[in-house]
Each structure stands twice: as C-alpha cells, then as structure tokens.
C-alpha cells in the first residue's frame, strides 16, 4: 500500500516538475542569474536554454539513479534484492515506497529550485528572500527520508536475524 502511495506521489511530482520548468522557462529572461550582489546586481549569469537543458539533465540523472533499485526489485533482475525482499514481505512495500517517495522529494526539490531561480530573476513578482525557507525545508526532508531508510533497513535486519 505504501508502495502505491509512493509511486503516485512520484508521478505527480514529475508532472509538478515539468509544469514548473515549462511555465517558468517562458517567464525567465534570456540571461538567468542564481544570485545577487548587495546592490541588487545579478551575478553568475547563464543562458536560459542552458538552464532549461541543465535542469532536464539533472532531472533525468537523479531519476535514473533513484529508480534503479526499485526497478531491479520489481522486474526481479537482481536476485539478491528479490531474495531479501520477497513478494508479500511488508518490508518490500516499505522499500519500494521509500524509493518512489524519495524520487518524488527530489523532483519537488528541483521544481522549488526552478521557482526560486524565477523569483531571483523576476524581482517584480516577489522578493526571493521570501522563499529562503525553502532551502531549509529541502535538506530537512532529505534527512527525514534518509532516517526513514535506515529505519526500514534496521527493521529488515531484525526480521532476518529472527529467521536465523
């Protein structure tokens, strides 16, 4: 059941990322900056196209890395994972759900990065300082999810020890 919620969240996060990327790409100037000097001058500029294709490359790379373990388990291509997480095991559901939800967290984080970049480059819409809290939320979510993975693995190791 967790697996299905994680997968649904993952696919919704893909739509969220694509929507944000396309919507804010059209609203960004030709030269995009990631930061400002104290006087408000934009520094570290790159082209809008480079930003767009760079974000797509990062998105594809992150998703390929994150989805490799669950896909190996689902397609039964990795014998060790299939033996460790057999069909019907509750930790298999937790494991798959964790990877899909972590992929969703990464996609949402990338979308928020696009949103923040848009805020930095379009000062007339909103001040980017209003969204500084996003840079605290994203690492906090990553830490919580990594702790969750350790909790899943500890539970699985205890289950394996009881069987021995």
């Amino acid at each position: 059941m967790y697996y299905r919620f994680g997968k649904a969240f993952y696919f919704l996060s893909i739509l969220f990322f694509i929507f944000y990327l396309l919507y804010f790409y059209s609203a960004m100037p030709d030269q995009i900056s990631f930061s400002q000097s104290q006087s408000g001058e934009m520094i570290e500029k790159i082209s809008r196209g480079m930003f767009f294709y760079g974000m797509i490359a990062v998105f594809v790379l992150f998703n390929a890395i994150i989805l490799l373990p669950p896909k190996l388990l689902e397609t039964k291509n990795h014998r060790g994972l299939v033996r460790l997480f057999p069909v019907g095991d509750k930790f298999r559901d937790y494991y798959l759900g964790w990877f899909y939800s972590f992929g969703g967290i990464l996609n949402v984080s990338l979308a928020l990065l696009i949103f923040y970049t848009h805020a930095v480059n379009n000062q007339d819409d909103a001040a980017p300082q209003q969204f500084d809290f996003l840079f605290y939320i994203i690492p906090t979510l990553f830490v919580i999810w990594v702790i969750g993975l350790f909790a899943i693995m500890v539970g699985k190791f205890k289950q394996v020890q009881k069987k021995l």
Side-chain angles (χ1 to χ4, degrees):
M1 180 153 146
Y2 293 111
Y3 157 66
R4 292 181 191 262
F5 286 126
K7 205 167 194 178
F9 173 63
Y10 173 73
F11 285 114
L12 287 175
S13 73
I14 289 174
L15 295 175
F16 182 66
F17 171 81
I18 292 171
F19 172 76
Y20 261 47
L21 184 63
L22 293 176
Y23 180 74
F24 288 126
Y25 172 77
S26 66
M28 287 189 188
D30 288 336
Q31 292 293 316
I32 295 173
S33 175
F34 293 105
S35 61
Q36 302 174 0
S37 65
Q38 292 292 342
S39 62
E41 180 182 328
M42 300 294 187
I43 53 177
E44 300 178 26
K45 293 184 178 184
I46 64 168
S47 71
R48 180 170 73 166
M50 181 177 256
F51 175 75
F52 179 78
Y53 291 116
M55 288 305 293
I56 290 174
V58 168
F59 173 79
V60 169
L61 179 69
F62 280 178
N63 282 283
I65 291 170
I66 291 297
L67 288 185
L68 182 65
K71 287 299 177 187
L72 287 174
L73 180 60
E74 287 178 320
T75 59
K76 299 179 182 173
N77 286 335
H78 192 278
R79 291 183 185 148
L81 281 175
V82 172
R83 195 172 50 232
L84 187 60
F85 297 104
V87 176
D89 183 16
K90 71 176 182 176
F91 287 103
R92 177 188 173 105
D93 190 40
Y94 296 157
Y95 179 81
L96 291 172
W98 185 89
F99 271 98
Y100 281 113
S101 62
F102 188 69
I105 294 286
L106 279 175
N107 292 340
V108 168
S109 298
L110 288 174
L112 292 177
L113 178 67
I114 293 167
F115 177 72
Y116 186 79
T117 304
H118 171 72
V120 166
N121 288 282
N122 293 323
Q123 295 285 324
D124 52 323
D125 291 344
Q129 292 80 16
Q130 292 175 328
F131 307 108
D132 283 345
F133 70 94
L134 295 176
F135 288 110
Y136 296 107
I137 291 175
I138 293 169
T140 304
L141 287 174
F142 286 152
V143 167
I144 290 169
W145 251 254
V146 169
I147 290 170
L149 178 63
F150 283 116
I152 291 168
M153 290 300 159
V154 165
K156 182 60 182 178
F157 291 146
K158 285 182 181 179
Q159 180 189 44
V160 169
Q161 282 179 339
K162 287 181 184 177
K163 287 184 180 179
L164 295 176

